[in-house]
Structure formats: structure tokens, C-alpha cells
Amino acid sequence: MKNILFAILLLIGATSLRAAESPLISQADSAYNADDFRQAADIYLNVIQQQGPSAKLYYNLGNTYYRLGEMGNAILSYERALRLDPSDDDVRNNLAFVNARITDRPGERGTFLGNALDAVSAYMHSNTWAWVAFSLFVITLVALMAYLFSNIIKVRKLGFFGGILTFMACCVSLYFSFRSAAIAMSDDAAIITVPSTILSTTPRVPQDRSQEAMLLHEGTKVKILDSVKSTTDSIHSLWYDVEVDNSHRAWINASAVEKI
């Protein structure tokens, strides 16, 4: 009885907490609808800091940054939303929409097979892939039982070959689950959030044109390969060795990007 009462009290407390949190989100939504996008962005960020991230909050934040014209922060927010909920088509569509409107068009990064596997893995949350694998494993056990204990030849054949197929599908789903989790937890992807930045051939501010590698603009996604702390004229800075695509690699000041 005490356990039941305690559970009820916890449920009431959680409901009250959500009720206390909802006015702040409503305030941000109202600011957005009133075209006060700066205030809306500040409130959404405040809610994320206080209550923790969610795909919906990052989606709303991405929409707000887009209306502010901050393409880099919009893409960053959509990317973070997809990591929390890869199945959200609205986020995916908005991300594609904004990516089509940024200045830079990097080439292919990675291999065709690797990119294809990443695309499939990232289409669903790792937990969803894990449940799919678990369901297929249960079906495999049922098929195995049918093969071992059924007296009907057709049922035994179906159990044998069907069990092989479901077991293989189970292993594939489990692989996608681990790959999806690795993508969601990786910290080697970053978005340029400043209007533009010049990448360098060395981990420091270019001294002349020969040390300038390329010019990139906000919203461009890069892959971080390494990092180095640099000191120039007593000024300390962090530089990332980044891969823009398979043909371009250079150093970028860490202050110009933000990790997803």
C-alpha cells in the first residue's frame, strides 16, 4: 500500500513539474508567433538548459534560428534534434531545406558503402533498432521450436529456413543499433556558426595567402580529425584539423564551429 501511495505521489509530482515547465515553453511559442524570434530563441535555450534537451525543443529552436537568418545555428539545432529522434521527418525535411540554401557545397565525404550504412542506421533511434533485433530474435526462437518439435514437414522447413532468415535479420538490426548509437554519441562532427571563416594550412591564423587553405561559410558541416592548442603573441587558441570532404582537409579555429 505504501509503495502504491509513493508511486502516486511521484506521478503527481512529475505532472506538477511538467505543468510548471509548460508556461515557459508557451512563452517561447508566443514570442515565436509574435515574430520576436530573438526572445523565442533565448527562451528555448533556457528551457533546454533547465529541463534538458529534446528533439521538439531543438526543432523549434532550429525554426527560430532560421527565421533569424542564422543558418549555422539552425542546421546545428536540426542536427541535434535528429540525434535525439532520427525518425522525425519534419526535422529531416527542414534540415534538407536549410542545407539547400547555404553557400558552400562540399564534395563527397567517406565511402558510398559507409554513407549508405550511416543513412540506414540513422533513420531510426538505436533503441528502436534494438527492439527490432529483439523481436526478430524471438521469432527466430519460435521458428527453431517449430523445426525441432513439429511433425509436419512443411512447418519444419518453414521453421528452418525462416529461422535462418530472421536470425540474419536480427544480426543486421543489432549492427544498425550499435552503429546508430555510435553516430548519436560521436563528437567529431561540427557546424560552422560564424558568417565565414578562412581555414589554414597550419594550426594558426594564416600569415599570408600561401597559408590560406579555403574559405567556408556558416552552415557547412565538417568532420573533426584532431585538435591542437596554439599560442600566438601570448594568445591561446584551439584549432581543429577538419575534413571538409574527401578532397579537402585543413585547420579551423575552434571558435568558428560548434560540435553537434
Side-chain angles (χ1 to χ4, degrees):
M1 186 65 180
K2 290 183 179 179
N3 292 336
I4 296 176
L5 291 175
F6 182 68
I8 293 175
L9 289 175
L10 283 179
L11 179 60
I12 294 174
T15 304
S16 301
L17 181 60
R18 287 194 296 270
E21 293 169 349
S22 58
L24 194 59
I25 299 177
S26 298
Q27 184 180 351
D29 294 339
S30 298
Y32 181 90
N33 293 328
D35 293 344
D36 190 352
F37 303 117
R38 179 56 60 192
Q39 182 182 11
D42 292 339
I43 296 175
Y44 283 132
L45 285 172
N46 188 28
V47 173
I48 291 173
Q49 291 175 354
Q50 290 184 7
Q51 303 177 13
S54 72
K56 183 179 180 180
L57 285 173
Y58 274 126
Y59 172 70
N60 292 340
L61 183 61
N63 293 339
T64 305
Y65 278 132
Y66 173 75
R67 297 298 296 270
L68 286 169
E70 299 180 15
M71 300 299 190
N73 286 323
I75 291 175
L76 178 67
S77 300
Y78 291 141
E79 290 277 5
R80 287 174 172 172
L82 278 182
R83 288 198 172 190
L84 295 172
D85 185 5
S87 63
D88 195 318
D89 289 333
D90 290 334
V91 179
R92 197 176 298 276
N93 292 334
N94 282 18
L95 177 60
F97 177 84
V98 179
N99 272 326
R101 282 155 177 76
I102 62 176
T103 304
D104 302 320
R105 292 290 182 270
E108 188 73 16
R109 183 189 299 126
T111 63
F112 174 80
L113 179 59
N115 293 335
L117 290 174
D118 284 344
V120 175
S121 301
Y123 194 76
M124 291 194 299
H125 196 279
S126 59
N127 291 342
T128 304
W129 280 116
W131 276 110
V132 171
F134 176 76
S135 301
L136 290 169
F137 181 72
V138 172
I139 296 174
T140 301
L141 291 180
V142 173
L144 178 63
M145 297 293 288
Y147 169 72
L148 291 176
F149 298 107
S150 177
N151 295 322
I152 303 174
I153 300 299
K154 289 185 178 180
V155 173
R156 295 191 65 186
K157 287 183 177 180
L158 180 63
F160 179 78
F161 293 107
I164 292 177
L165 292 176
T166 55
F167 180 73
M168 291 173 61
C170 172
C171 293
V172 171
S173 299
L174 194 60
Y175 168 79
F176 283 141
S177 175
F178 283 111
R179 195 176 184 106
S180 177
I183 293 173
M185 294 185 294
S186 65
D187 63 347
D188 61 351
I191 304 295
I192 296 178
T193 54
V194 296
S196 63
T197 182
I198 297 177
L199 279 68
S200 176
T201 58
T202 58
R204 64 178 183 178
V205 177
Q207 302 299 310
D208 51 50
R209 295 294 297 273
S210 65
Q211 294 183 0
E212 295 180 2
M214 68 192 78
L215 174 68
L216 292 180
H217 302 81
E218 69 174 323
T220 303
K221 187 177 182 179
V222 296
K223 181 179 180 180
I224 300 173
L225 304 176
D226 198 3
S227 62
V228 170
K229 291 183 178 180
S230 176
T231 303
T232 304
D233 297 331
S234 301
I235 299 177
H236 303 283
S237 58
L238 179 64
W239 288 78
Y240 291 139
D241 179 13
V242 299
E243 180 185 66
V244 182
D245 53 38
N246 290 339
S247 303
H248 298 90
R249 176 178 173 179
W251 292 90
I252 188 172
N253 194 307
S255 61
V257 300
E258 189 167 346
K259 290 183 177 181
I260 298 173

